[in-house]
Amino acid sequence: AVPPANYDIVLANINRNVILSSLASLHARLKQGGLLITSGYLVEDGEIMADAFHEHGFSVNQLARNNNWLAVKCTRL
């Protein structure tokens, strides 16, 4: 449970399904222009994640890969 507030940055290192199901909540907790940094999912899930970020009002800014793991930095629109 995250207290209802508007944050500048949210970090989520969980897994693909939890992040996907939390995107609306994460969007609501970020200030406009705030950063969402996620990781904990595989490179092959990158397209699914990018599509979901866009659908929930985020702009993908940067991707980082470490072996088969992916991290994504987004901005709340």
Side-chain angles (χ1 to χ4, degrees):
V2 177
N6 289 343
Y7 298 96
D8 295 314
I9 299 172
V10 172
L11 305 173
N13 179 17
I14 310 170
N15 69 52
R16 182 188 81 167
N17 292 332
V18 172
I19 292 170
L20 288 173
S21 67
S22 302
L23 282 177
S25 225
L26 293 169
H27 187 272
R29 297 285 196 283
L30 274 169
K31 293 179 182 177
Q32 186 169 355
L35 296 179
L36 172 64
I37 301 171
T38 63
S39 61
Y41 42 90
L42 299 173
V43 170
E44 60 217 37
D45 295 326
E47 190 173 334
I48 293 167
M49 299 304 290
D51 289 344
F53 293 133
H54 291 295
E55 289 173 18
H56 285 87
F58 293 97
S59 172
V60 175
N61 301 329
Q62 187 175 3
L63 305 170
R65 180 180 176 168
N66 184 2
N67 297 318
N68 288 329
W69 295 101
L70 188 64
V72 177
K73 182 173 93 173
C74 301
T75 301
R76 182 189 186 271
L77 301 175

Short mmCIF file of all heavy atoms in Angstrom, two decimals, residues 3-75:
data_model
loop_
_atom_site.label_atom_id
_atom_site.label_comp_id
_atom_site.label_asym_id
_atom_site.label_seq_id
_atom_site.Cartn_x
_atom_site.Cartn_y
_atom_site.Cartn_z
N PRO A 3 0.91 5.37 0.26
CA PRO A 3 0.07 6.51 0.67
C PRO A 3 -0.31 7.37 -0.53
O PRO A 3 0.51 7.59 -1.42
CB PRO A 3 0.97 7.29 1.63
CG PRO A 3 2.02 6.33 2.07
CD PRO A 3 2.20 5.37 0.94
N PRO A 4 -1.55 7.84 -0.56
CA PRO A 4 -1.97 8.70 -1.67
C PRO A 4 -1.24 10.04 -1.62
O PRO A 4 -1.40 10.80 -0.68
CB PRO A 4 -3.48 8.87 -1.46
CG PRO A 4 -3.72 8.53 -0.04
CD PRO A 4 -2.61 7.61 0.40
N ALA A 5 -0.38 10.26 -2.57
CA ALA A 5 0.39 11.49 -2.70
C ALA A 5 0.87 11.57 -4.13
O ALA A 5 0.72 10.62 -4.89
CB ALA A 5 1.56 11.49 -1.73
N ASN A 6 1.44 12.69 -4.50
CA ASN A 6 2.02 12.83 -5.83
C ASN A 6 3.53 12.86 -5.70
O ASN A 6 4.09 13.78 -5.12
CB ASN A 6 1.52 14.12 -6.51
CG ASN A 6 0.07 14.00 -6.91
OD1 ASN A 6 -0.48 12.91 -6.98
ND2 ASN A 6 -0.55 15.11 -7.20
N TYR A 7 4.16 11.86 -6.26
CA TYR A 7 5.60 11.68 -6.14
C TYR A 7 6.33 12.15 -7.40
O TYR A 7 5.77 12.14 -8.49
CB TYR A 7 5.91 10.20 -5.89
CG TYR A 7 5.32 9.68 -4.61
CD1 TYR A 7 4.11 9.01 -4.60
CD2 TYR A 7 5.96 9.90 -3.39
CE1 TYR A 7 3.56 8.55 -3.42
CE2 TYR A 7 5.42 9.44 -2.20
CZ TYR A 7 4.21 8.77 -2.23
OH TYR A 7 3.66 8.31 -1.06
N ASP A 8 7.58 12.54 -7.22
CA ASP A 8 8.43 12.93 -8.35
C ASP A 8 8.99 11.70 -9.06
O ASP A 8 9.18 11.71 -10.27
CB ASP A 8 9.61 13.79 -7.88
CG ASP A 8 9.16 15.12 -7.32
OD1 ASP A 8 8.32 15.78 -7.96
OD2 ASP A 8 9.67 15.50 -6.25
N ILE A 9 9.29 10.66 -8.29
CA ILE A 9 9.90 9.44 -8.83
C ILE A 9 9.27 8.23 -8.15
O ILE A 9 9.09 8.22 -6.93
CB ILE A 9 11.42 9.41 -8.58
CG1 ILE A 9 12.12 10.58 -9.25
CG2 ILE A 9 12.03 8.09 -9.09
CD1 ILE A 9 13.59 10.71 -8.88
N VAL A 10 8.98 7.21 -8.96
CA VAL A 10 8.54 5.92 -8.44
C VAL A 10 9.43 4.86 -9.06
O VAL A 10 9.64 4.84 -10.27
CB VAL A 10 7.06 5.63 -8.77
CG1 VAL A 10 6.69 4.21 -8.39
CG2 VAL A 10 6.15 6.63 -8.08
N LEU A 11 9.98 3.98 -8.21
CA LEU A 11 10.79 2.85 -8.66
C LEU A 11 9.99 1.58 -8.41
O LEU A 11 9.47 1.39 -7.31
CB LEU A 11 12.11 2.78 -7.88
CG LEU A 11 12.98 4.02 -7.89
CD1 LEU A 11 14.15 3.86 -6.94
CD2 LEU A 11 13.46 4.31 -9.29
N ALA A 12 9.92 0.72 -9.41
CA ALA A 12 9.19 -0.54 -9.27
C ALA A 12 10.03 -1.67 -9.86
O ALA A 12 10.19 -1.75 -11.07
CB ALA A 12 7.84 -0.46 -9.96
N ASN A 13 10.59 -2.49 -9.00
CA ASN A 13 11.36 -3.65 -9.42
C ASN A 13 10.61 -4.87 -8.90
O ASN A 13 10.90 -5.36 -7.81
CB ASN A 13 12.78 -3.59 -8.88
CG ASN A 13 13.59 -4.79 -9.29
OD1 ASN A 13 13.24 -5.52 -10.21
ND2 ASN A 13 14.69 -5.03 -8.59
N ILE A 14 9.64 -5.31 -9.66
CA ILE A 14 8.78 -6.39 -9.19
C ILE A 14 8.80 -7.48 -10.25
O ILE A 14 9.76 -8.21 -10.35
CB ILE A 14 7.34 -5.89 -8.91
CG1 ILE A 14 7.39 -4.65 -8.02
CG2 ILE A 14 6.51 -6.97 -8.26
CD1 ILE A 14 6.09 -3.93 -7.87
N ASN A 15 7.76 -7.58 -11.03
CA ASN A 15 7.72 -8.46 -12.19
C ASN A 15 6.71 -7.91 -13.18
O ASN A 15 5.94 -7.00 -12.85
CB ASN A 15 7.42 -9.92 -11.80
CG ASN A 15 6.01 -10.13 -11.30
OD1 ASN A 15 5.05 -9.75 -11.94
ND2 ASN A 15 5.89 -10.75 -10.14
N ARG A 16 6.74 -8.45 -14.36
CA ARG A 16 5.91 -7.92 -15.45
C ARG A 16 4.44 -7.82 -15.07
O ARG A 16 3.81 -6.77 -15.24
CB ARG A 16 6.07 -8.79 -16.69
CG ARG A 16 5.28 -8.28 -17.86
CD ARG A 16 5.31 -9.24 -18.99
NE ARG A 16 4.32 -10.27 -18.72
CZ ARG A 16 3.91 -11.15 -19.60
NH1 ARG A 16 4.43 -11.18 -20.81
NH2 ARG A 16 3.00 -12.03 -19.30
N ASN A 17 3.87 -8.88 -14.57
CA ASN A 17 2.43 -8.89 -14.30
C ASN A 17 2.02 -7.91 -13.21
O ASN A 17 0.98 -7.25 -13.33
CB ASN A 17 1.96 -10.31 -13.97
CG ASN A 17 2.07 -11.23 -15.17
OD1 ASN A 17 1.99 -10.80 -16.31
ND2 ASN A 17 2.29 -12.50 -14.90
N VAL A 18 2.81 -7.80 -12.18
CA VAL A 18 2.49 -6.86 -11.10
C VAL A 18 2.60 -5.43 -11.61
O VAL A 18 1.74 -4.58 -11.33
CB VAL A 18 3.39 -7.09 -9.87
CG1 VAL A 18 3.18 -6.00 -8.83
CG2 VAL A 18 3.13 -8.46 -9.27
N ILE A 19 3.64 -5.13 -12.37
CA ILE A 19 3.79 -3.78 -12.92
C ILE A 19 2.64 -3.46 -13.86
O ILE A 19 2.03 -2.38 -13.77
CB ILE A 19 5.15 -3.61 -13.61
CG1 ILE A 19 6.28 -3.66 -12.56
CG2 ILE A 19 5.21 -2.29 -14.38
CD1 ILE A 19 7.67 -3.74 -13.13
N LEU A 20 2.30 -4.38 -14.74
CA LEU A 20 1.19 -4.15 -15.68
C LEU A 20 -0.11 -3.87 -14.94
O LEU A 20 -0.85 -2.95 -15.30
CB LEU A 20 1.02 -5.34 -16.62
CG LEU A 20 2.10 -5.53 -17.68
CD1 LEU A 20 1.90 -6.85 -18.42
CD2 LEU A 20 2.11 -4.36 -18.66
N SER A 21 -0.38 -4.63 -13.91
CA SER A 21 -1.64 -4.44 -13.18
C SER A 21 -1.61 -3.19 -12.29
O SER A 21 -2.66 -2.75 -11.82
CB SER A 21 -1.98 -5.67 -12.34
OG SER A 21 -1.06 -5.85 -11.31
N SER A 22 -0.43 -2.61 -12.08
CA SER A 22 -0.29 -1.44 -11.21
C SER A 22 -0.12 -0.12 -11.97
O SER A 22 -0.02 0.93 -11.34
CB SER A 22 0.92 -1.62 -10.29
OG SER A 22 0.79 -2.78 -9.52
N LEU A 23 -0.09 -0.16 -13.30
CA LEU A 23 0.24 1.06 -14.05
C LEU A 23 -0.74 2.20 -13.81
O LEU A 23 -0.33 3.35 -13.70
CB LEU A 23 0.36 0.75 -15.54
CG LEU A 23 1.67 0.10 -15.95
CD1 LEU A 23 1.66 -0.23 -17.44
CD2 LEU A 23 2.85 0.99 -15.61
N ALA A 24 -2.02 1.93 -13.72
CA ALA A 24 -2.98 3.00 -13.47
C ALA A 24 -2.71 3.65 -12.10
O ALA A 24 -2.74 4.87 -11.96
CB ALA A 24 -4.41 2.47 -13.54
N SER A 25 -2.44 2.82 -11.12
CA SER A 25 -2.12 3.30 -9.77
C SER A 25 -0.83 4.10 -9.75
O SER A 25 -0.73 5.15 -9.11
CB SER A 25 -1.96 2.09 -8.88
OG SER A 25 -2.58 2.20 -7.70
N LEU A 26 0.19 3.58 -10.44
CA LEU A 26 1.47 4.27 -10.50
C LEU A 26 1.32 5.62 -11.19
O LEU A 26 1.88 6.63 -10.75
CB LEU A 26 2.50 3.41 -11.23
CG LEU A 26 2.90 2.12 -10.51
CD1 LEU A 26 3.71 1.21 -11.43
CD2 LEU A 26 3.66 2.44 -9.24
N HIS A 27 0.54 5.66 -12.26
CA HIS A 27 0.28 6.92 -12.97
C HIS A 27 -0.38 7.93 -12.03
O HIS A 27 -0.01 9.10 -12.00
CB HIS A 27 -0.59 6.65 -14.20
CG HIS A 27 -0.77 7.85 -15.07
ND1 HIS A 27 -1.78 8.76 -14.87
CD2 HIS A 27 -0.07 8.27 -16.16
CE1 HIS A 27 -1.69 9.70 -15.79
NE2 HIS A 27 -0.66 9.42 -16.58
N ALA A 28 -1.35 7.47 -11.26
CA ALA A 28 -2.08 8.35 -10.34
C ALA A 28 -1.18 8.88 -9.22
O ALA A 28 -1.44 9.96 -8.68
CB ALA A 28 -3.27 7.61 -9.74
N ARG A 29 -0.13 8.14 -8.86
CA ARG A 29 0.75 8.54 -7.76
C ARG A 29 1.88 9.46 -8.19
O ARG A 29 2.58 10.02 -7.35
CB ARG A 29 1.37 7.30 -7.09
CG ARG A 29 0.39 6.35 -6.45
CD ARG A 29 -0.14 6.92 -5.15
NE ARG A 29 -0.79 5.95 -4.30
CZ ARG A 29 -2.00 5.47 -4.46
NH1 ARG A 29 -2.70 5.83 -5.51
NH2 ARG A 29 -2.52 4.62 -3.61
N LEU A 30 2.09 9.61 -9.50
CA LEU A 30 3.17 10.46 -10.00
C LEU A 30 2.68 11.85 -10.37
O LEU A 30 1.59 12.01 -10.90
CB LEU A 30 3.80 9.83 -11.25
CG LEU A 30 4.89 8.82 -11.04
CD1 LEU A 30 5.19 8.11 -12.34
CD2 LEU A 30 6.14 9.47 -10.50
N LYS A 31 3.52 12.84 -10.10
CA LYS A 31 3.25 14.19 -10.59
C LYS A 31 3.40 14.19 -12.11
O LYS A 31 4.13 13.36 -12.67
CB LYS A 31 4.27 15.17 -10.01
CG LYS A 31 4.16 15.38 -8.54
CD LYS A 31 5.24 16.36 -8.07
CE LYS A 31 5.17 16.53 -6.57
NZ LYS A 31 6.25 17.41 -6.08
N GLN A 32 2.73 15.12 -12.77
CA GLN A 32 2.92 15.26 -14.20
C GLN A 32 4.40 15.56 -14.45
O GLN A 32 5.00 16.39 -13.76
CB GLN A 32 2.06 16.38 -14.77
CG GLN A 32 2.15 16.45 -16.27
CD GLN A 32 1.10 17.37 -16.86
OE1 GLN A 32 0.25 17.89 -16.16
NE2 GLN A 32 1.17 17.56 -18.15
N GLY A 33 5.02 14.86 -15.37
CA GLY A 33 6.44 15.00 -15.62
C GLY A 33 7.31 14.14 -14.71
O GLY A 33 8.53 14.12 -14.85
N GLY A 34 6.67 13.42 -13.77
CA GLY A 34 7.40 12.56 -12.85
C GLY A 34 7.97 11.34 -13.56
O GLY A 34 7.52 10.97 -14.65
N LEU A 35 8.96 10.72 -12.94
CA LEU A 35 9.64 9.57 -13.53
C LEU A 35 9.15 8.26 -12.93
O LEU A 35 9.00 8.15 -11.72
CB LEU A 35 11.15 9.66 -13.30
CG LEU A 35 11.87 10.83 -13.96
CD1 LEU A 35 13.35 10.79 -13.60
CD2 LEU A 35 11.68 10.79 -15.46
N LEU A 36 8.94 7.29 -13.80
CA LEU A 36 8.65 5.92 -13.41
C LEU A 36 9.78 5.07 -13.93
O LEU A 36 10.05 5.05 -15.14
CB LEU A 36 7.32 5.44 -14.01
CG LEU A 36 7.01 3.96 -13.82
CD1 LEU A 36 6.84 3.63 -12.33
CD2 LEU A 36 5.76 3.58 -14.61
N ILE A 37 10.47 4.39 -13.03
CA ILE A 37 11.56 3.50 -13.41
C ILE A 37 11.16 2.09 -12.99
O ILE A 37 10.88 1.84 -11.82
CB ILE A 37 12.89 3.92 -12.75
CG1 ILE A 37 13.23 5.35 -13.16
CG2 ILE A 37 14.00 2.95 -13.14
CD1 ILE A 37 14.38 5.96 -12.40
N THR A 38 11.10 1.20 -13.98
CA THR A 38 10.67 -0.16 -13.72
C THR A 38 11.74 -1.15 -14.16
O THR A 38 12.50 -0.89 -15.09
CB THR A 38 9.36 -0.50 -14.45
OG1 THR A 38 9.57 -0.42 -15.86
CG2 THR A 38 8.23 0.42 -14.03
N SER A 39 11.76 -2.29 -13.49
CA SER A 39 12.62 -3.40 -13.88
C SER A 39 12.04 -4.65 -13.26
O SER A 39 11.06 -4.61 -12.53
CB SER A 39 14.06 -3.16 -13.42
OG SER A 39 14.12 -3.07 -12.02
N GLY A 40 12.67 -5.79 -13.60
CA GLY A 40 12.19 -7.05 -13.06
C GLY A 40 11.48 -7.90 -14.09
O GLY A 40 10.74 -8.80 -13.74
N TYR A 41 11.71 -7.59 -15.35
CA TYR A 41 11.09 -8.38 -16.42
C TYR A 41 12.10 -8.60 -17.53
O TYR A 41 13.14 -7.94 -17.60
CB TYR A 41 9.81 -7.73 -16.94
CG TYR A 41 9.89 -6.24 -17.13
CD1 TYR A 41 10.29 -5.70 -18.34
CD2 TYR A 41 9.55 -5.38 -16.10
CE1 TYR A 41 10.37 -4.33 -18.51
CE2 TYR A 41 9.62 -4.01 -16.27
CZ TYR A 41 10.03 -3.50 -17.46
OH TYR A 41 10.11 -2.14 -17.63
N LEU A 42 11.78 -9.54 -18.37
CA LEU A 42 12.71 -9.98 -19.41
C LEU A 42 12.68 -9.08 -20.63
O LEU A 42 11.67 -8.43 -20.93
CB LEU A 42 12.39 -11.42 -19.82
CG LEU A 42 12.51 -12.45 -18.70
CD1 LEU A 42 11.99 -13.80 -19.17
CD2 LEU A 42 13.95 -12.56 -18.22
N VAL A 43 13.80 -9.05 -21.34
CA VAL A 43 13.91 -8.26 -22.57
C VAL A 43 12.78 -8.59 -23.54
O VAL A 43 12.22 -7.71 -24.17
CB VAL A 43 15.30 -8.48 -23.22
CG1 VAL A 43 15.37 -7.88 -24.61
CG2 VAL A 43 16.39 -7.91 -22.33
N GLU A 44 12.42 -9.86 -23.63
CA GLU A 44 11.36 -10.26 -24.57
C GLU A 44 10.00 -9.67 -24.22
O GLU A 44 9.09 -9.66 -25.04
CB GLU A 44 11.27 -11.78 -24.66
CG GLU A 44 10.94 -12.44 -23.35
CD GLU A 44 11.66 -13.76 -23.16
OE1 GLU A 44 12.81 -13.89 -23.56
OE2 GLU A 44 11.03 -14.67 -22.57
N ASP A 45 9.84 -9.14 -23.01
CA ASP A 45 8.59 -8.48 -22.61
C ASP A 45 8.62 -6.98 -22.89
O ASP A 45 7.66 -6.28 -22.61
CB ASP A 45 8.34 -8.69 -21.11
CG ASP A 45 8.10 -10.14 -20.78
OD1 ASP A 45 7.50 -10.85 -21.61
OD2 ASP A 45 8.51 -10.58 -19.68
N GLY A 46 9.71 -6.50 -23.47
CA GLY A 46 9.88 -5.06 -23.68
C GLY A 46 8.78 -4.42 -24.51
O GLY A 46 8.30 -3.34 -24.17
N GLU A 47 8.36 -5.05 -25.57
CA GLU A 47 7.31 -4.47 -26.42
C GLU A 47 5.97 -4.42 -25.70
O GLU A 47 5.26 -3.42 -25.78
CB GLU A 47 7.19 -5.27 -27.72
CG GLU A 47 6.31 -4.59 -28.74
CD GLU A 47 6.32 -5.29 -30.09
OE1 GLU A 47 7.32 -5.97 -30.41
OE2 GLU A 47 5.32 -5.14 -30.81
N ILE A 48 5.65 -5.49 -24.97
CA ILE A 48 4.41 -5.52 -24.18
C ILE A 48 4.42 -4.38 -23.17
O ILE A 48 3.43 -3.67 -22.99
CB ILE A 48 4.26 -6.87 -23.46
CG1 ILE A 48 4.03 -7.98 -24.48
CG2 ILE A 48 3.15 -6.84 -22.42
CD1 ILE A 48 4.18 -9.38 -23.90
N MET A 49 5.56 -4.22 -22.50
CA MET A 49 5.67 -3.18 -21.48
C MET A 49 5.58 -1.79 -22.10
O MET A 49 4.86 -0.93 -21.59
CB MET A 49 6.98 -3.34 -20.70
CG MET A 49 7.10 -4.66 -19.95
SD MET A 49 5.76 -5.00 -18.80
CE MET A 49 6.08 -3.78 -17.54
N ALA A 50 6.29 -1.56 -23.20
CA ALA A 50 6.27 -0.24 -23.85
C ALA A 50 4.85 0.12 -24.28
O ALA A 50 4.40 1.26 -24.08
CB ALA A 50 7.22 -0.22 -25.04
N ASP A 51 4.13 -0.83 -24.85
CA ASP A 51 2.74 -0.58 -25.26
C ASP A 51 1.89 -0.21 -24.06
O ASP A 51 1.08 0.73 -24.11
CB ASP A 51 2.15 -1.80 -25.97
CG ASP A 51 2.74 -2.05 -27.34
OD1 ASP A 51 3.40 -1.13 -27.91
OD2 ASP A 51 2.56 -3.17 -27.87
N ALA A 52 2.06 -0.94 -22.96
CA ALA A 52 1.28 -0.67 -21.75
C ALA A 52 1.62 0.70 -21.15
O ALA A 52 0.72 1.42 -20.71
CB ALA A 52 1.52 -1.77 -20.72
N PHE A 53 2.90 1.06 -21.16
CA PHE A 53 3.28 2.39 -20.65
C PHE A 53 2.58 3.48 -21.46
O PHE A 53 1.99 4.40 -20.89
CB PHE A 53 4.80 2.59 -20.71
CG PHE A 53 5.58 1.72 -19.78
CD1 PHE A 53 6.70 1.04 -20.22
CD2 PHE A 53 5.22 1.58 -18.45
CE1 PHE A 53 7.43 0.23 -19.37
CE2 PHE A 53 5.94 0.77 -17.58
CZ PHE A 53 7.05 0.09 -18.04
N HIS A 54 2.60 3.38 -22.77
CA HIS A 54 1.95 4.37 -23.63
C HIS A 54 0.45 4.42 -23.38
O HIS A 54 -0.14 5.50 -23.29
CB HIS A 54 2.24 4.09 -25.10
CG HIS A 54 3.67 4.31 -25.49
ND1 HIS A 54 4.28 5.55 -25.46
CD2 HIS A 54 4.62 3.44 -25.89
CE1 HIS A 54 5.53 5.44 -25.83
NE2 HIS A 54 5.78 4.16 -26.10
N GLU A 55 -0.18 3.26 -23.25
CA GLU A 55 -1.63 3.19 -23.01
C GLU A 55 -2.02 3.84 -21.68
O GLU A 55 -3.15 4.29 -21.53
CB GLU A 55 -2.10 1.74 -23.01
CG GLU A 55 -2.09 1.10 -24.38
CD GLU A 55 -2.40 -0.39 -24.33
OE1 GLU A 55 -2.95 -0.87 -23.31
OE2 GLU A 55 -2.06 -1.08 -25.31
N HIS A 56 -1.10 3.87 -20.72
CA HIS A 56 -1.41 4.41 -19.40
C HIS A 56 -0.86 5.82 -19.19
O HIS A 56 -0.78 6.30 -18.06
CB HIS A 56 -0.89 3.47 -18.32
CG HIS A 56 -1.74 2.25 -18.16
ND1 HIS A 56 -1.56 1.12 -18.92
CD2 HIS A 56 -2.79 2.00 -17.35
CE1 HIS A 56 -2.46 0.22 -18.58
NE2 HIS A 56 -3.22 0.73 -17.62
N GLY A 57 -0.46 6.49 -20.27
CA GLY A 57 -0.07 7.89 -20.16
C GLY A 57 1.38 8.15 -19.81
O GLY A 57 1.69 9.15 -19.17
N PHE A 58 2.26 7.25 -20.22
CA PHE A 58 3.69 7.42 -19.99
C PHE A 58 4.41 7.52 -21.33
O PHE A 58 3.99 6.93 -22.32
CB PHE A 58 4.28 6.23 -19.22
CG PHE A 58 3.80 6.11 -17.81
CD1 PHE A 58 2.76 5.25 -17.49
CD2 PHE A 58 4.38 6.86 -16.80
CE1 PHE A 58 2.32 5.13 -16.19
CE2 PHE A 58 3.93 6.75 -15.49
CZ PHE A 58 2.90 5.88 -15.18
N SER A 59 5.52 8.23 -21.32
CA SER A 59 6.42 8.30 -22.47
C SER A 59 7.70 7.56 -22.09
O SER A 59 8.31 7.86 -21.07
CB SER A 59 6.74 9.76 -22.79
OG SER A 59 7.74 9.84 -23.77
N VAL A 60 8.07 6.58 -22.90
CA VAL A 60 9.29 5.81 -22.62
C VAL A 60 10.50 6.64 -23.04
O VAL A 60 10.59 7.08 -24.18
CB VAL A 60 9.28 4.46 -23.36
CG1 VAL A 60 10.59 3.72 -23.16
CG2 VAL A 60 8.11 3.61 -22.89
N ASN A 61 11.43 6.86 -22.10
CA ASN A 61 12.59 7.70 -22.34
C ASN A 61 13.87 6.91 -22.56
O ASN A 61 14.72 7.31 -23.34
CB ASN A 61 12.85 8.64 -21.16
CG ASN A 61 11.69 9.54 -20.89
OD1 ASN A 61 10.96 9.91 -21.78
ND2 ASN A 61 11.50 9.88 -19.64
N GLN A 62 14.02 5.81 -21.82
CA GLN A 62 15.30 5.11 -21.85
C GLN A 62 15.10 3.65 -21.49
O GLN A 62 14.29 3.31 -20.62
CB GLN A 62 16.25 5.76 -20.86
CG GLN A 62 17.66 5.25 -20.89
CD GLN A 62 18.56 6.04 -19.94
OE1 GLN A 62 18.12 6.93 -19.23
NE2 GLN A 62 19.82 5.69 -19.93
N LEU A 63 15.86 2.79 -22.15
CA LEU A 63 15.88 1.36 -21.86
C LEU A 63 17.30 0.98 -21.44
O LEU A 63 18.26 1.48 -22.00
CB LEU A 63 15.50 0.53 -23.08
CG LEU A 63 14.17 0.84 -23.76
CD1 LEU A 63 14.08 0.09 -25.07
CD2 LEU A 63 13.02 0.46 -22.85
N ALA A 64 17.40 0.08 -20.49
CA ALA A 64 18.70 -0.46 -20.09
C ALA A 64 18.57 -1.97 -20.02
O ALA A 64 17.59 -2.50 -19.48
CB ALA A 64 19.13 0.10 -18.73
N ARG A 65 19.55 -2.64 -20.57
CA ARG A 65 19.53 -4.10 -20.61
C ARG A 65 20.73 -4.66 -19.86
O ARG A 65 21.85 -4.16 -20.00
CB ARG A 65 19.56 -4.55 -22.07
CG ARG A 65 19.54 -6.03 -22.23
CD ARG A 65 19.56 -6.41 -23.70
NE ARG A 65 19.63 -7.86 -23.80
CZ ARG A 65 19.44 -8.53 -24.90
NH1 ARG A 65 19.20 -7.89 -26.02
NH2 ARG A 65 19.51 -9.83 -24.90
N ASN A 66 20.48 -5.69 -19.07
CA ASN A 66 21.55 -6.41 -18.39
C ASN A 66 21.26 -7.89 -18.59
O ASN A 66 20.33 -8.44 -17.99
CB ASN A 66 21.58 -6.06 -16.90
CG ASN A 66 22.74 -6.71 -16.19
OD1 ASN A 66 23.54 -7.40 -16.79
ND2 ASN A 66 22.82 -6.47 -14.88
N ASN A 67 22.04 -8.52 -19.46
CA ASN A 67 21.79 -9.90 -19.88
C ASN A 67 20.38 -9.98 -20.46
O ASN A 67 20.09 -9.28 -21.41
CB ASN A 67 22.03 -10.88 -18.74
CG ASN A 67 23.48 -10.89 -18.29
OD1 ASN A 67 24.39 -10.84 -19.12
ND2 ASN A 67 23.70 -10.93 -17.00
N ASN A 68 19.49 -10.77 -19.86
CA ASN A 68 18.12 -10.90 -20.37
C ASN A 68 17.12 -10.03 -19.62
O ASN A 68 15.91 -10.16 -19.83
CB ASN A 68 17.67 -12.36 -20.33
CG ASN A 68 18.37 -13.19 -21.37
OD1 ASN A 68 18.72 -12.70 -22.44
ND2 ASN A 68 18.59 -14.46 -21.06
N TRP A 69 17.60 -9.17 -18.73
CA TRP A 69 16.72 -8.33 -17.93
C TRP A 69 16.65 -6.93 -18.51
O TRP A 69 17.61 -6.42 -19.05
CB TRP A 69 17.20 -8.28 -16.48
CG TRP A 69 17.12 -9.61 -15.83
CD1 TRP A 69 18.16 -10.48 -15.64
CD2 TRP A 69 15.96 -10.25 -15.34
NE1 TRP A 69 17.69 -11.62 -15.03
CE2 TRP A 69 16.34 -11.51 -14.84
CE3 TRP A 69 14.62 -9.89 -15.26
CZ2 TRP A 69 15.44 -12.40 -14.27
CZ3 TRP A 69 13.72 -10.78 -14.69
CH2 TRP A 69 14.12 -12.01 -14.21
N LEU A 70 15.50 -6.29 -18.32
CA LEU A 70 15.26 -4.97 -18.89
C LEU A 70 14.81 -4.00 -17.80
O LEU A 70 14.05 -4.37 -16.90
CB LEU A 70 14.17 -5.07 -19.96
CG LEU A 70 13.89 -3.84 -20.80
CD1 LEU A 70 15.12 -3.49 -21.64
CD2 LEU A 70 12.71 -4.11 -21.73
N ALA A 71 15.28 -2.77 -17.89
CA ALA A 71 14.80 -1.68 -17.05
C ALA A 71 14.35 -0.56 -17.99
O ALA A 71 14.95 -0.35 -19.04
CB ALA A 71 15.89 -1.17 -16.12
N VAL A 72 13.28 0.12 -17.61
CA VAL A 72 12.72 1.17 -18.46
C VAL A 72 12.48 2.42 -17.61
O VAL A 72 11.94 2.33 -16.50
CB VAL A 72 11.40 0.71 -19.11
CG1 VAL A 72 10.78 1.82 -19.93
CG2 VAL A 72 11.61 -0.54 -19.96
N LYS A 73 12.86 3.57 -18.16
CA LYS A 73 12.58 4.86 -17.52
C LYS A 73 11.54 5.58 -18.35
O LYS A 73 11.69 5.74 -19.57
CB LYS A 73 13.85 5.71 -17.43
CG LYS A 73 13.61 7.05 -16.73
CD LYS A 73 14.92 7.78 -16.51
CE LYS A 73 15.18 8.72 -17.65
NZ LYS A 73 16.33 9.59 -17.43
N CYS A 74 10.45 5.98 -17.71
CA CYS A 74 9.33 6.65 -18.37
C CYS A 74 9.03 7.97 -17.68
O CYS A 74 9.36 8.16 -16.52
CB CYS A 74 8.05 5.80 -18.28
SG CYS A 74 8.17 4.18 -18.99
N THR A 75 8.35 8.84 -18.41
CA THR A 75 7.87 10.10 -17.85
C THR A 75 6.34 10.09 -17.91
O THR A 75 5.74 9.69 -18.91
CB THR A 75 8.39 11.30 -18.67
OG1 THR A 75 9.81 11.27 -18.65
CG2 THR A 75 7.90 12.62 -18.10
#
